[in-house]
Amino acid sequence: MNRFAIAFGSLFGFAKRLPDGGSWLAVLAIGAGLLLYFPIAGDVIAHAGEPASSMHFIVEGRVNIIVPSDDGRVMRVRSLGRFTTVGEMGMVSGRPRSATIEADTDSTLYALPADQFESIKAEHPELAQALLVYFMSVMAERLGFANRTISALRR
């Protein structure tokens, strides 16, 4: 089996884990032109400060979220694995990326370009709503994680 077939199968594995069964993700993959990427460990997927021109569904592998500090150093704040997304916050808000995304391992990602997301909002509002609800659940989980981390660091 080639890696494109494996990637497509992994996307459906991702979809099955979503609260509503992820039927919207399958529609997105087939009809909305998600772009398939295969970054290798160490590849930078997106740089902090640049425009958020896309978001990514991680279907295989791991990526690191790296935040620059004011003194020029960088800190890995989180590592994310399969069946989640990265880059949705900047894409939805229209703000520059707040972190660098780097492949920790060889990975398989589907990218949703921001212009395609805008088209989805205009042409398929029900699909856009499903995406936004999903993004909210991801951001809520990450806010909870950040709160737990801050609480642990204060001890």
Side-chain angles (χ1 to χ4, degrees):
M1 187 178 286
N2 71 35
R3 68 183 188 168
F4 295 100
I6 292 168
F8 196 69
S10 294
L11 185 66
F12 283 94
F14 186 124
K16 288 181 198 174
R17 288 170 170 74
L18 297 173
D20 66 352
S23 58
W24 59 266
L25 185 57
V27 169
L28 192 64
I30 296 166
L34 291 181
L35 305 173
L36 185 58
Y37 288 99
F38 297 103
I40 60 172
D43 282 355
V44 173
I45 298 158
H47 291 275
E50 68 185 20
S53 60
S54 63
M55 56 86 51
H56 298 83
F57 296 88
I58 306 168
V59 295
E60 295 290 336
R62 292 197 73 74
V63 301
N64 291 322
I65 308 304
I66 301 166
V67 177
S69 66
D70 292 337
D71 64 3
R73 294 182 300 152
V74 295
M75 178 187 305
R76 183 180 70 110
V77 294
R78 190 148 188 207
S79 178
L80 298 169
R82 64 193 300 218
F83 305 134
T84 193
T85 57
V86 291
E88 67 285 330
M89 189 168 66
M91 189 182 75
V92 169
S93 71
R95 301 184 80 122
R97 298 206 184 273
S98 60
T100 294
I101 306 165
E102 179 182 271
D104 185 36
T105 64
D106 294 357
S107 300
T108 303
L109 311 174
Y110 278 94
L112 173 62
D115 61 342
Q116 187 62 39
F117 180 61
E118 292 303 317
S119 295
I120 290 167
K121 288 193 308 187
E123 299 167 19
H124 304 285
E126 67 291 340
L127 181 55
Q129 181 177 350
L131 272 168
L132 290 170
V133 167
Y134 172 70
F135 296 159
M136 285 175 29
S137 70
V138 167
M139 288 184 213
E141 182 279 326
R142 292 185 184 155
L143 180 58
F145 177 84
N147 287 339
R148 290 187 303 277
T149 301
I150 291 167
S151 178
L153 291 172
R154 287 186 165 170
R155 294 181 197 166

